[in-house]
């Protein structure tokens, strides 16, 4: 009887020892895993902060008076920028945010975010939109929906500039950028490869007349496509390089240089995102703004124009025209630290 109890106690002791050891091992593993995750998170945040500091420093250095980069708008003051040229600065006064939107750089989704944040636009039920994806696409790009710096001037006149300076000093300012040549390819694909009545009437018919030797292009884009007439990327580049183009009217915002849309030498942006690192940059920015638990950036689409498509798209563009095009967009390449496309320029 005593021997049986003794063995039973020994078994309980052994089992307790095993369970205690297992618990200690699991606790240590969990503690190590938690420490590893915290360390990895801190490392990641540090990396993202350093990335932003680097991007902003490059812009500051190149915008300085003695830098090697020279362009007409470099040394003008903010107050010398025409009010119309401030129409890409969208303001959200509720959260103290200013977003300079650049077409073909995820601006549709960022405009959705700005509409939700500002709560200026009401859904059919009368309540503000809370989900960015609920906002109709035709509404997103309606200029009347967004509060911009240009509208401040229309409303407050000569008192608008001090108000702009106040917001620039106190609000968080951000923009997203993209490789300039890839952005041009994306703009061409979106506006001219597919039927677009507005862009055909405003730009496409002129391109066909001047660079495709079609003296009387069809009146509508439907007729153009039905006749099998296609505007080529070569025609588009010729249009951009033609000195006559900007003498007649400014570049459209979809191919306007980024520095002319967002004025990075006059406005010191707090955050510079890139399309290549869109997911990381977006998450980082929403965290900085304290909005990461309030709003989620809509998912991107898969049909995004890729950098490695450049060689194919530029295959029919002469090297001389490629070099002229680089010169036209060199300021964007350098300010936002995109590699000079040496292979394209020296084939």
């Amino acid at each position: 009887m005593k021997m049986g109890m003794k063995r039973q106690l020994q078994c309980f002791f052994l089992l307790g020892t095993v369970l205690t050891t297992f618990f200690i091992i699991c606790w240590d593993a969990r503690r190590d895993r938690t420490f590893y995750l915290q360390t990895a998170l801190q490392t990641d945040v540090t990396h993202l902060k350093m990335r932003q500091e680097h991007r902003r420093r490059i812009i500051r250095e190149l915008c300085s008076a003695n830098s090697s980069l020279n362009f007409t708008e470099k040394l003008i003051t903010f107050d010398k920028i025409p009010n119309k040229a401030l129409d890409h600065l969208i303001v959200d006064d509720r959260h103290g945010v200013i977003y300079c939107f650049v077409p073909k750089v995820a601006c549709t989704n960022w405009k959705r975010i700005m509409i939700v944040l500002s709560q200026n636009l009401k859904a059919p039920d009368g309540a503000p939109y809370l989900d960015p994806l609920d906002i109709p696409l035709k509404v997103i790009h309606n200029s009347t929906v967004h509060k911009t710096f240009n509208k401040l001037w229309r409303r407050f006149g000569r008192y608008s500039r001090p108000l702009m300076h106040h917001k620039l000093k106190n609000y968080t300012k951000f923009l997203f950028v993209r490789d300039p040549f890839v952005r041009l390819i994306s703009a061409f694909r979106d506006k001219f490869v597919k039927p677009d009545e507005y862009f055909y009437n405003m730009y496409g018919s002129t391109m066909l007349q001047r660079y495709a030797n079609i003296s009387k292009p069809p009146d509508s884009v439907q007729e153009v496509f039905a006749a099998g007439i296609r505007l080529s990327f070569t025609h588009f580049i010729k249009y951009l390089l033609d000195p006559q183009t900007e003498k007649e009217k400014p570049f459209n915002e979809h191919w306007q240089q980024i520095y002319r849309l967002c004025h990075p030498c006059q406005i010191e942006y707090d955050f510079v995102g890139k399309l290549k690192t869109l997911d990381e940059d977006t998450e980082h920015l929403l965290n900085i703004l304290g909005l990461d638990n309030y709003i989620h950036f809509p998912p991107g689409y898969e049909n995004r124009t890729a950098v490695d498509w450049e060689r194919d798209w530029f295959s029919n563009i002469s090297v001389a025209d490629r070099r002229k095009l680089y010169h036209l967009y060199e300021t964007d390449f350098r300010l936002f630290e995109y590699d000079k496309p040496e292979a394209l320029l020296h084939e």
Side-chain angles (χ1 to χ4, degrees), residues 279-331:
D279 294 338
E280 285 183 352
D281 288 345
T282 296
E283 185 178 352
H284 185 202
L285 177 58
L286 290 176
N287 181 263
I288 290 172
L289 296 173
L291 299 170
D292 47 329
N293 293 322
Y294 170 70
I295 199 164
H296 296 285
F297 193 78
Y301 54 92
E302 297 299 323
N303 192 27
R304 188 180 291 168
T305 305
V307 175
D308 54 10
W309 294 4
E310 280 186 350
R311 187 176 295 275
D312 291 337
W313 279 92
F314 280 89
S315 59
N316 293 321
I317 310 296
S318 70
V319 173
D321 280 351
R322 295 177 195 179
R323 291 174 180 171
K324 291 176 185 175
L325 191 69
Y326 174 77
H327 180 71
L328 190 62
Y329 289 89
E330 181 179 7
T331 299

Side-chain angles (χ1 to χ4, degrees), residues 32-83:
D32 289 345
R33 181 171 178 272
T34 301
F35 175 76
Y36 172 78
L37 289 174
Q38 288 175 340
T39 304
L41 181 61
Q42 289 171 354
T43 302
D44 190 46
V45 170
T46 301
H47 165 71
L48 294 174
K49 286 182 178 178
M50 290 176 63
R51 172 192 282 172
Q52 282 304 312
E53 289 171 4
H54 175 77
R55 290 175 180 174
R56 294 170 64 229
R57 177 174 56 78
I58 292 296
I59 294 172
R60 283 197 307 271
E61 289 176 356
L62 289 174
C63 286
S64 65
N66 58 353
S67 78
S68 60
L69 179 63
N70 294 301
F71 54 99
T72 306
E73 293 88 345
K74 175 180 172 179
L75 298 178
I76 67 169
T77 64
F78 175 79
D79 287 334
K80 295 294 183 182
I81 300 173
N83 290 298

Side-chain angles (χ1 to χ4, degrees), residues 83-84 87 143-144 148-157 160 164:
N83 290 298
K84 180 60 181 173
D87 218 22
S143 61
T144 63
T148 67
F149 265 25
N150 187 35
K151 288 180 182 175
L152 285 178
W153 172 77
R154 294 179 193 171
R155 182 176 178 183
F156 297 104
S160 63
M164 292 178 194

Side-chain angles (χ1 to χ4, degrees), residues 55-258:
R55 290 175 180 174
R56 294 170 64 229
R57 177 174 56 78
I58 292 296
I59 294 172
R60 283 197 307 271
E61 289 176 356
L62 289 174
C63 286
S64 65
N66 58 353
S67 78
S68 60
L69 179 63
N70 294 301
F71 54 99
T72 306
E73 293 88 345
K74 175 180 172 179
L75 298 178
I76 67 169
T77 64
F78 175 79
D79 287 334
K80 295 294 183 182
I81 300 173
N83 290 298
K84 180 60 181 173
L86 299 174
D87 218 22
H88 280 245
L89 295 164
I90 298 177
V91 183
D92 166 31
D93 289 315
R94 295 183 72 248
H95 300 90
V97 177
I98 297 173
Y99 164 50
C100 184
F101 73 91
V102 179
K104 309 313 301 174
V105 192
C107 77
T108 298
N109 281 337
W110 272 114
K111 284 182 177 180
R112 284 186 170 116
I113 295 288
M114 295 300 285
I115 289 172
V116 171
L117 293 180
S118 68
Q119 296 191 4
N120 288 335
L121 186 66
K122 301 296 188 289
D125 63 1
Y129 282 102
L130 298 177
D131 185 344
L133 290 176
D134 288 342
I135 305 169
L137 189 61
K138 64 180 181 180
V139 172
I140 295 165
H141 296 296
N142 185 334
S143 61
T144 63
V145 169
H146 303 282
K147 180 180 179 180
T148 67
F149 265 25
N150 187 35
K151 288 180 182 175
L152 285 178
W153 172 77
R154 294 179 193 171
R155 182 176 178 183
F156 297 104
R158 63 191 179 92
Y159 299 106
S160 63
R161 288 289 167 155
L163 188 57
M164 292 178 194
H165 281 288
H166 174 78
K167 294 177 190 293
L168 289 173
K169 181 180 178 181
N170 295 287
Y171 288 13
T172 301
K173 306 165 292 296
F174 75 95
L175 78 164
F176 275 76
V177 299
R178 187 179 194 176
D179 178 286
F181 279 6
V182 180
R183 180 170 167 251
L184 289 179
I185 296 169
S186 179
F188 178 79
R189 289 178 66 208
D190 187 37
K191 303 306 179 186
F192 300 112
V193 172
K194 300 179 292 186
D196 187 306
E197 194 67 44
Y198 173 82
F199 275 84
Y200 173 72
N201 290 330
M202 289 295 293
Y203 309 100
S205 60
T206 299
M207 294 181 201
L208 289 177
Q209 278 183 312
R210 292 181 181 174
Y211 316 113
N213 295 319
I214 300 176
S215 57
K216 290 186 178 181
D219 292 332
S220 71
V221 72
Q222 286 79 14
E223 293 175 70
V224 168
F225 274 73
I229 300 171
R230 294 292 183 272
L231 190 71
S232 74
F233 189 60
T234 303
H235 299 145
F236 178 55
I237 299 303
K238 291 287 186 186
Y239 173 80
L240 297 179
L241 295 178
D242 190 340
Q244 189 65 26
T245 298
E246 284 217 271
K247 288 180 181 178
E248 295 175 353
K249 54 187 171 185
F251 275 178
N252 178 273
E253 62 181 1
H254 290 81
W255 47 86
Q256 177 70 280
Q257 295 94 329
I258 298 172

